[in-house]
Amino acid sequence: MQAIDDLIQKFLKELNYAPILEMLLHVKSGKKLRSKLLLAISGESKEALIICAVIELIHLASLLHDDIIDESKLRRGVKSINSEFGTKNALMLGDILYSKAFYELSQINTQFASIISDAVVKLSIGELMDVNLSQDFNTDKDKYLTMIYNKTAVLIEASAKCGAILAGLDEKSFGEYGKNLGLAFQMVDDILDIKGDEKTLGKPSMADFKEGKVTLPYIYLFESLDQKGKNQLKTMFQKDLNEQEKIWINTQFKEKSILEKSILEAKEYAKKAIDAIEEYSNQKLKDIVKAMIDRNF
């Protein structure tokens, strides 16, 4: 992964503006899931590493914009860029990362550029869907799934497709792997927002609900409640929950086994991911799925 970080540094040093690199030092790079799975499919090559660096730039840009939209003060336990340097700087840094990624994309095979740029359009639509769904208490699971596919899964799907093309393998099968991995990944993230502790997550538990995100566990919880319970849950939407309210929600989750049901659904998508590439017997890709499901952050 160091080679990818070095490429990102090289790309941004070419822009010859010190504040970009200074702000980048404060960006937590994360797990590089997209790069790991691309390289697990294609193997390491100069072209593969460039595509990984481009995808990571796009992913980082989307996180910066995410934090602005959500008005997040923290990103993985440290101050977010918008909190540290201000919203305007965070917004422009995100735009610079996107723009540089697309410039580098224009220098490589148009097939890869087409796949990744299409994914970024869908990612942006997913961000807008997320904002619009947050206006009201969404109980439509299909809308939730469509949103997380666009917001999270499309870039993972694109990474897998690019890896397959580089390796001369079936793009469709690996795209299906990436899509289902992405859906499962986001579901696990949404579950961890509820069950994880603040120190591990780097943000308060149930932050999503406060921000207006009715994720899969809340949709299932709403479906399981009587009318009084439904009304009570709705009154807590987009609210800074006190301890009693958190206890009530957690009690309902526990009594109705909602988190277990949600985890089972995430595991179903994880199985679909593995099944899509079963004929290739790629243990690294199976390990990526397992690590993504069995995590606490």
Side-chain angles (χ1 to χ4, degrees):
M1 296 297 109
Q2 187 58 51
I4 296 166
D5 284 335
D6 291 344
L7 267 175
I8 290 171
Q9 283 286 322
K10 175 182 174 291
F11 289 160
L12 297 179
K13 279 179 182 175
E14 289 169 0
L15 301 177
N16 197 29
Y17 190 57
I20 295 169
L21 295 172
E22 183 190 345
M23 284 190 282
L24 194 72
L25 288 173
H26 294 260
V27 177
K28 293 267 249 178
S29 61
K31 295 179 273 289
K32 289 192 174 65
L33 168 67
R34 295 147 194 83
S35 294
K36 284 175 182 173
L37 76 89
L38 191 154
L39 295 176
I41 298 166
S42 69
E44 194 169 313
S45 67
K46 183 180 177 182
E47 192 169 27
L49 290 172
I50 289 171
I51 293 170
C52 285
V54 165
I55 287 170
E56 293 301 333
L57 278 173
I58 289 166
H59 178 57
L60 288 175
S62 73
L63 295 181
L64 289 171
H65 288 176
D66 254 359
D67 286 344
I68 293 167
I69 291 165
D70 295 339
E71 299 180 356
S72 299
K73 301 299 180 189
L74 296 172
R75 163 67 59 181
R76 300 190 183 100
V78 300
K79 287 180 79 173
S80 61
I81 296 298
N82 49 298
S83 177
E84 183 79 25
F85 296 96
T87 299
K88 291 178 183 178
N89 282 320
L91 177 64
M92 293 314 301
L93 180 61
D95 289 350
I96 289 164
L97 298 187
Y98 270 131
S99 303
K100 183 57 172 170
F102 276 101
Y103 172 76
E104 296 301 333
L105 206 52
S106 73
Q107 306 302 301
I108 61 177
N109 187 304
T110 55
Q111 192 174 14
F112 300 119
S114 177
I115 289 168
I116 295 169
S117 57
D118 179 60
V120 175
V121 173
K122 289 175 181 170
L123 188 160
S124 302
I125 292 168
E127 292 281 9
L128 184 58
M129 286 176 174
D130 194 19
V131 170
N132 288 335
L133 283 178
S134 298
Q135 303 304 308
D136 300 296
F137 193 100
N138 174 56
T139 59
D140 189 328
K141 181 182 164 186
D142 288 337
K143 286 182 180 178
Y144 163 80
L145 289 173
T146 302
M147 183 273 290
I148 66 168
Y149 166 68
N150 283 286
K151 187 179 172 184
T152 302
V154 287
L155 199 55
I156 298 174
E157 179 183 38
S159 303
K161 283 182 176 181
C162 290
I165 293 166
L166 283 167
L169 301 173
D170 180 47
E171 178 189 336
K172 187 177 178 182
S173 296
F174 284 89
E176 196 65 21
Y177 166 87
K179 172 186 174 180
N180 287 296
L181 174 63
L183 291 169
F185 181 86
Q186 187 58 56
M187 286 178 184
V188 171
D189 256 14
D190 294 342
I191 293 162
L192 289 174
D193 175 77
I194 296 163
K195 66 180 280 193
D197 65 90
E198 184 171 345
K199 188 177 178 183
T200 306
L201 294 177
K203 62 175 184 175
S205 64
M206 298 188 182
D208 286 348
F209 201 53
K210 181 186 173 183
E211 290 166 6
K213 301 177 195 294
V214 184
T215 56
L216 187 65
Y218 293 103
I219 291 171
Y220 281 150
L221 178 59
F222 184 80
E223 289 173 353
S224 73
L225 294 168
D226 59 21
Q227 194 55 53
K228 183 183 175 184
K230 283 179 166 67
N231 293 338
Q232 190 166 348
L233 184 62
K234 278 188 170 183
T235 65
M236 300 175 188
F237 179 59
Q238 292 181 320
K239 191 180 168 191
D240 198 354
L241 300 174
N242 61 40
E243 202 55 38
Q244 269 189 320
E245 289 166 329
K246 283 189 177 183
I247 289 169
W248 183 84
I249 291 175
N250 278 319
T251 301
Q252 299 305 314
F253 277 138
K254 189 173 181 181
E255 286 180 357
K256 295 168 175 60
S257 303
I258 297 298
L259 296 185
E260 289 81 1
K261 182 179 179 180
S262 301
I263 289 165
L264 279 175
E265 180 142 0
K267 286 182 176 178
E268 284 174 18
Y269 280 99
K271 184 178 184 303
K272 285 181 186 177
I274 291 170
D275 289 347
I277 48 129
E278 189 59 47
E279 65 182 282
Y280 296 97
S281 302
N282 188 321
Q283 189 57 45
K284 283 184 181 177
L285 294 182
K286 291 179 182 178
D287 290 344
I288 286 171
V289 173
K290 187 175 187 305
M292 181 276 305
I293 289 285
D294 301 332
R295 62 190 169 98
N296 56 10
F297 67 95

